[in-house]
Amino acid sequence: MERLIRRPKDLLSGLLFLVIGILGIILLRSYQFGTPREMGPGFLPTILSVLLAVFGLILVARSLAGTIEAMGPVPLRAPVLILGGALLYGLLLRPAGLAIAVPAMILTGAFASPRIGIAGAVISAALLTIGSCLVFVYALGQPIPILGTWFGH
């Protein structure tokens, strides 16, 4: 008996895109859509949500056609560390400041790849922290603390 799902990766990613697209369409109903000439605040996000849902449908349909592929184990280390780094940044920005939040995010995300060494991660974190402080705080004047409330600022 032949399997119905021939490409499990396409099915999973297609379902994810479909759910996010439909969720976006539902959540954006309260925003004014407008017209192509006079776009409302919901115009572009709604169009992108529809395109994402259509792309998800295409991937789901594609998963049912073609040759059978084995999916194998689902790697969780990289997505968990990358999302964890972004979450850590969000949690640390106000209390610790930009000088702590950016390196925490970069170093956490760097461990997602076995190819990135500790020296490269530390250099990247230092350069991105300095660049973020220069661009966002000094050049653009954003009210982001370089050192947060943990340091009395």
Side-chain angles (χ1 to χ4, degrees):
M1 182 169 164
E2 240 178 279
R3 288 187 2 204
L4 177 65
I5 301 170
R6 297 177 179 271
R7 293 184 179 132
K9 290 180 183 178
D10 285 348
L11 177 69
L12 292 177
S13 58
L15 288 175
L16 178 69
F17 291 155
L18 186 61
V19 166
I20 292 172
I22 290 172
L23 189 62
I25 293 167
I26 291 170
L27 293 175
L28 291 165
R29 289 183 307 166
S30 63
Y31 289 91
Q32 183 184 6
F33 187 75
T35 64
R37 178 172 274 193
E38 294 180 20
M39 297 179 196
F43 188 86
L44 185 63
T46 302
I47 296 296
L48 291 175
S49 294
V50 169
L51 290 174
L52 190 62
V54 168
F55 185 63
L57 280 174
I58 291 169
L59 282 174
V60 168
R62 181 179 159 182
S63 74
L64 304 175
T67 60
I68 296 175
E69 296 176 4
M71 184 157 151
V74 177
L76 292 177
R77 177 185 169 142
V80 167
L81 286 173
I82 291 170
L83 290 173
L87 180 63
L88 193 58
Y89 174 82
L91 292 173
L92 287 176
L93 186 59
R94 290 288 173 206
L98 199 61
I100 304 296
V102 171
M105 176 182 64
I106 299 300
L107 293 173
T108 303
F111 290 115
S113 172
R115 291 180 281 185
I116 298 176
I118 191 72
V122 169
I123 291 169
S124 295
L127 291 175
L128 286 169
T129 301
I130 293 168
S132 295
C133 290
L134 290 175
V135 169
F136 293 109
V137 177
Y138 294 112
L140 296 175
Q142 295 296 310
I144 301 172
I146 293 177
L147 291 173
T149 56
W150 288 352
F151 300 98
H153 292 93

